[in-house]
Amino acid sequence: MSAPFSLRFARTPGSMPLQDGVSRQFRLFPDGAPSGEDPEATFDLDQPQIRGVTRVRCRSGELLELICRKKTGAGRWELLTDAGFSLAEVTGHGALSQGWRLSITGSAGTFELVNPESFGQQVIRTMLDGQTEGLVLTQKGEAVGSLVKRYRSSGGGLLSGLKRFVQGRDWVLDMRQVSEVPESMAGPRGRVILAAFALVALVNLDLSAPD
């Protein structure tokens, strides 16, 4: 087992030029990482609604592809290595209240991102940290984390509040609510698999729209 972690999605602003064939880009950082740190992974979307091929450039140098296999309805996506090995599959279940499911190759367990309304109020407050926008991450029906939109800076007072308003918010995949994370998911590849899962959900539900 490994220590819990928290990952932040930083969307590259539309005002910044992107590579040819990239319509939208997200970079993945440890939450609270110092400015200028290299991202753990960069997700290059060829289509804004992630219905095509998303290329994943990992800090380790590994290259992955998240391919949309079913473009109609809720959709289905497969995460592949550059050698074509399937790492995981993501399926959507339509409406937000019906959730999203991650199936990992070689693992009997699955993860789901579900509407927090299906959990008690105390779970919502704990998992989503008082935020109104977010999903609860579950494994075997138990809440193990959250996907929530948070300000890029914290602190109280008027000046801190103005700073947060100007800086805006990012989506954060937070696994710190559990005491330990399975080693397979805490390693670099496991973290990217979970991040790809979260990205599918937030993009398809338009949760990543700019503030």
Side-chain angles (χ1 to χ4, degrees):
M1 295 288 185
S2 296
F5 57 85
S6 183
L7 301 171
R8 181 177 293 269
F9 294 88
R11 179 181 172 185
T12 302
S15 58
M16 294 183 61
L18 298 173
Q19 302 173 18
D20 290 343
V22 179
S23 64
R24 205 174 190 184
Q25 184 184 79
F26 292 84
R27 292 174 297 158
L28 184 72
F29 297 92
D31 192 24
S35 177
E37 180 172 320
D38 291 336
E40 289 202 13
T42 300
F43 297 85
D44 295 322
L45 285 64
D46 69 342
Q47 296 184 28
Q49 295 304 320
I50 208 165
R51 295 285 165 150
V53 177
T54 297
R55 290 176 173 81
V56 187
R57 294 179 282 128
C58 303
R59 184 163 57 190
S60 64
E62 185 175 31
L63 300 176
L64 308 176
E65 285 191 339
L66 182 64
I67 301 175
C68 185
R69 297 300 193 190
K70 180 185 177 185
K71 299 184 179 183
T72 59
R76 180 172 65 87
W77 294 261
E78 189 175 15
L79 185 64
L80 303 173
T81 67
D82 57 357
F85 177 76
S86 179
L87 296 176
E89 181 180 82
V90 177
T91 53
H93 297 266
L96 172 62
S97 60
Q98 294 175 295
W100 303 82
R101 179 174 297 159
L102 170 68
S103 301
I104 302 169
T105 303
S107 174
T110 61
F111 288 90
E112 290 191 323
L113 281 164
V114 300
N115 192 321
E117 291 180 0
S118 61
F119 288 83
Q121 290 299 315
Q122 184 58 45
V123 172
I124 295 174
R125 285 193 294 269
T126 301
M127 289 293 173
L128 303 188
D129 194 27
Q131 304 296 322
T132 57
E133 295 177 84
L135 302 172
V136 173
L137 179 68
T138 68
Q139 185 179 33
K140 298 180 180 178
E142 296 292 329
V144 296
S146 63
L147 178 65
V148 64
K149 207 166 195 179
R150 293 189 180 138
Y151 286 102
R152 294 169 193 149
S153 63
S154 59
L158 177 61
L159 291 179
S160 294
L162 290 174
K163 182 179 179 181
R164 289 197 301 271
F165 177 79
V166 171
Q167 288 184 337
R169 298 182 295 169
D170 294 319
W171 282 93
V172 175
L173 177 63
D174 195 344
M175 300 289 287
R176 293 177 298 183
Q177 292 93 348
V178 294
S179 58
E180 293 181 321
V181 177
E183 192 67 40
S184 60
M185 304 314 299
R189 178 181 277 183
R191 290 158 69 104
V192 171
I193 290 174
L194 280 177
F197 173 44
L199 186 68
V200 166
L202 67 90
V203 168
N204 272 275
L205 296 167
D206 285 331
L207 299 180
S208 58
D211 291 329

